[in-house]
């Protein structure tokens, strides 16, 4: 079985999203934010297929569902879709990561792990000057990037 993402059940989204993951300090919860730029589901030809009812992450283990899906419009035209999936347990995190491993393998994605929160991504400083590890222990930002 193929590993796919759908917004309308039965119609696969062909565009690959940018995915950002965050996890709580104790590892008990996490959030995955998907950003689809110009998703195929917003094209005129798919408007007759039905309404977007959520985001469905489908693989050989089953389906992961989130209803937290928002479209962004620019000059009255659909531009992107943002979907947020909240993982409320370590088991949900593990299940999601297994889905992303399969999805990544099938779509040529790589996984990179960033040690500091996103608000430090564009800041230049020498980390050895500070003892930040105690403040950022287990607080990671993960990104799934195209190869």
């Amino acid at each position: 079985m193929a590993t796919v993402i759908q917004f309308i059940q039965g119609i696969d989204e062909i565009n690959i999203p940018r995915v950002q993951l965050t996890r709580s300090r104790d590892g008990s919860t996490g959030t995955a934010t998907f950003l689809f730029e110009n998703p195929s589901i917003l094209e005129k030809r798919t408007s007759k297929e039905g309404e977007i009812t959520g985001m469905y992450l489908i693989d050989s283990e089953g389906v992961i569902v989130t209803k937290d899906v928002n479209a962004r419009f620019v000059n009255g035209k659909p531009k992107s879709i943002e979907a947020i999936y909240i993982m409320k347990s370590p088991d949900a995190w593990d299940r999601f990561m297994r889905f992303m491993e399969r999805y990544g393998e099938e779509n040529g994605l790589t996984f990179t792990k960033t040690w500091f929160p996103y608000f430090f991504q564009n800041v230049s400083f020498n980390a050895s000057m500070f003892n930040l590890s105690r403040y950022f222990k287990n607080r990671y930002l993960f990104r799934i990037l195209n190869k």
Side-chain angles (χ1 to χ4, degrees):
M1 171 180 231
T3 303
V4 296
I5 298 175
Q6 298 178 348
F7 293 104
I8 299 173
Q9 290 182 327
I11 302 174
D12 297 346
E13 176 56 49
I14 57 173
N15 291 342
I16 306 298
R18 187 180 80 219
V19 180
Q20 290 185 333
L21 298 170
T22 57
R23 195 171 191 184
S24 64
R25 288 179 185 244
D26 64 2
S28 62
T29 62
T31 303
T33 304
F34 290 76
L35 182 62
F36 295 83
E37 294 290 337
N38 299 312
S40 64
I41 199 68
L42 295 179
E43 293 175 1
K44 288 183 181 181
R45 65 177 176 79
T46 59
S47 63
K48 299 174 187 172
E49 302 296 330
E51 294 182 12
I52 294 174
T53 56
M55 182 177 70
Y56 304 89
L57 311 175
I58 303 168
D59 66 4
S60 59
E61 288 186 53
V63 181
I64 300 171
V65 179
T66 182
K67 301 293 183 178
D68 190 353
V69 178
N70 297 294
R72 297 192 192 276
F73 292 81
V74 175
N75 296 326
K77 296 180 183 178
K79 187 70 176 167
S80 65
I81 291 180
E82 180 182 80
I84 299 173
Y85 173 62
I86 298 173
M87 296 157 272
K88 297 179 180 178
S89 71
D91 290 338
W93 176 271
D94 292 340
R95 168 67 178 98
F96 177 79
M97 291 305 289
R98 289 191 305 272
F99 169 84
M100 287 308 297
E101 286 172 11
R102 291 182 187 107
Y103 187 76
E105 287 174 10
E106 292 183 20
N107 292 287
L109 303 177
T110 59
F111 177 77
T112 60
K113 184 175 180 180
T114 305
W115 290 95
F116 296 105
Y118 65 92
F119 50 84
F120 282 108
Q121 293 299 308
N122 296 320
V123 176
S124 237
F125 64 90
N126 184 349
S128 65
M129 293 169 44
F130 305 98
N131 184 4
L132 296 177
S133 61
R134 65 186 169 133
Y135 298 110
F136 300 120
K137 185 176 183 186
N138 295 326
R139 194 182 278 185
Y140 304 113
L141 172 72
F142 297 90
R143 292 186 195 172
I144 306 297
L145 304 169
N146 286 331
K147 281 186 177 177

